[in-house]
Amino acid sequence: MTIKHLSQTLCVAVALSLTTLTPVLAASPMDQRAQRERATEDDSANQNRSRQDRRRGREAAPDPAAALAAAQGFLTAANKDCQATEAKLLGQTAEKISLYEAVCATGPGYIIIGSTPPEALDCLVLASQADKKRQADPAADVGTVCTLPANDNALAVFTAYAQEAGLPCQVDQGAVVGATSDGTLVYEIGCVGVEGYHIQRSASGWEKTECLQVLVQNATCAFTTPTEQAATVKSWLAGTDAAACDVQQVRLMGQNANGRFYEASCAAGDGFIARTDAAHAVQQIYPCAVAEKIGGGCKLTTTPPTETPQA
């Protein structure tokens, strides 16, 4: 046997020997009674802790009915026209101010700050702000946004607004793009295949501004392409002298008491200036070759210079 194996054998033998020789002492009757009493006390303490934990859980569990009632109260106090159908308590700020998210029967939902006075933040506004932040930085912290499934209804809300405003198109996009000086929200509405609009609610109803007009006002329409604008103007030309024009580019030149003036370039041939009424019915077509005196003439069509006859 080698030294290494011998050493291991001795260690095992000593361990076995110690195990064998360690006395096992029987507990006295008094010790057994004390152990039973301690076990009973431990059992009771555990049961108490369990009951307390369950009670705390019940107290901490949010009450949907209470959240809905509180949210509705804050919305009413904030002068929001919202019949809340669902709400949840999101938590509290460091100042112990409660935060809620609420779903409305119609229109957008809200994030509610239960301050004095309360604040209600439009879910559409929050979503549009978050989108802009993500476009600038995909990793940006966009802050609080609405997350209840019933508040994932932006397109339905924008479509309802477009219908109320009388927009003659199928809505495919929408966003909150700003607000007027008095705080009225301005929405951009994108349409399928044709130009979109900016719309805003006023005391007398909805105001709508076509994107060609928006561009003149040095603003933008992110959901409308030049192709959609060309298709829009093309749709006005049926039955006119410019009906054959394959419209390529368009611009709104301005308006006067006689109507609005639009310039269009064509894929082939001369472009034109069209005068329309407020409903875009074409009143007159002016070929670019004879339209020099109308608003400075055509800018989208390059008319070749007249050739000088040779002697």
Side-chain angles (χ1 to χ4, degrees):
M1 181 180 293
T2 64
I3 295 175
K4 180 177 180 181
H5 290 163
L6 179 60
S7 174
Q8 291 175 340
T9 301
L10 289 173
C11 289
V12 172
V14 170
L16 290 173
S17 173
L18 290 175
T19 302
T20 303
L21 295 175
T22 300
V24 179
L25 300 178
S28 68
M30 184 175 294
D31 290 338
Q32 291 175 349
R33 187 166 57 253
Q35 289 172 1
R36 285 196 299 271
E37 290 174 353
R38 281 196 297 272
T40 301
E41 291 172 358
D42 289 344
D43 253 359
S44 178
N46 287 335
Q47 290 173 5
N48 285 336
R49 279 194 295 271
S50 179
R51 283 193 295 270
Q52 290 170 358
D53 289 343
R54 288 195 298 271
R55 187 162 53 249
R56 280 195 293 268
R58 286 194 299 272
E59 292 170 354
D63 181 348
L68 183 60
Q72 184 66 71
F74 287 130
L75 287 165
T76 301
N79 296 316
K80 297 301 180 183
D81 184 17
C82 169
Q83 179 59 53
T85 58
E86 181 183 357
K88 71 174 180 179
L89 175 64
L90 302 179
Q92 289 187 325
T93 67
E95 295 78 20
K96 303 299 182 182
I97 295 174
S98 295
L99 303 177
Y100 298 87
E101 179 182 349
V103 175
C104 300
T106 60
Y110 292 90
I111 295 292
I112 303 162
I113 304 171
S115 52
T116 304
E119 295 182 61
L121 308 178
D122 187 315
C123 287
L124 296 181
V125 174
L126 295 174
S128 295
Q129 291 173 343
D131 286 343
K132 289 179 181 178
K133 289 180 180 179
R134 291 190 191 100
Q135 289 170 7
D137 177 8
D141 179 3
V142 299
T144 301
V145 295
C146 298
T147 60
L148 286 173
N151 277 333
D152 186 18
N153 64 342
L155 185 58
V157 174
F158 289 128
T159 299
Y161 288 170
Q163 291 172 346
E164 291 173 15
L167 302 191
C169 70
Q170 178 184 345
V171 176
D172 61 357
Q173 290 175 289
V176 180
V177 293
T180 62
S181 57
D182 64 358
T184 301
L185 293 176
V186 179
Y187 307 93
E188 180 183 348
I189 302 297
C191 297
V192 176
V194 294
E195 84 164 337
Y197 295 80
H198 280 194
I199 62 173
Q200 63 193 64
R201 198 193 301 267
S202 68
S204 58
W206 285 90
E207 298 176 8
K208 58 184 179 182
T209 306
E210 63 190 35
C211 280
L212 283 167
Q213 177 70 42
V214 171
L215 297 178
V216 172
Q217 297 170 345
N218 295 319
T220 60
C221 279
F223 303 145
T224 295
T225 66
T227 299
E228 289 174 328
Q229 290 178 324
T232 298
V233 173
K234 172 67 176 175
S235 70
W236 304 341
L237 301 177
T240 72
D241 294 341
C245 173
D246 181 7
V247 179
Q248 300 296 295
Q249 293 177 285
V250 296
R251 70 182 179 103
L252 173 61
M253 300 173 65
Q255 64 183 45
N256 59 25
N258 295 319
R260 289 188 172 189
F261 295 80
Y262 297 85
E263 180 190 355
S265 66
C266 304
D270 196 14
F272 61 88
I273 292 173
R275 176 171 61 84
T276 77
D277 63 13
H280 298 126
V282 175
Q283 306 297 304
Q284 193 166 353
I285 296 291
Y286 306 89
C288 284
V290 297
E292 296 90 348
K293 295 182 180 180
I294 300 176
C298 293
K299 306 296 183 184
L300 302 177
T301 298
T302 302
T303 304
T306 304
E307 294 183 5
T308 303
Q310 294 183 357

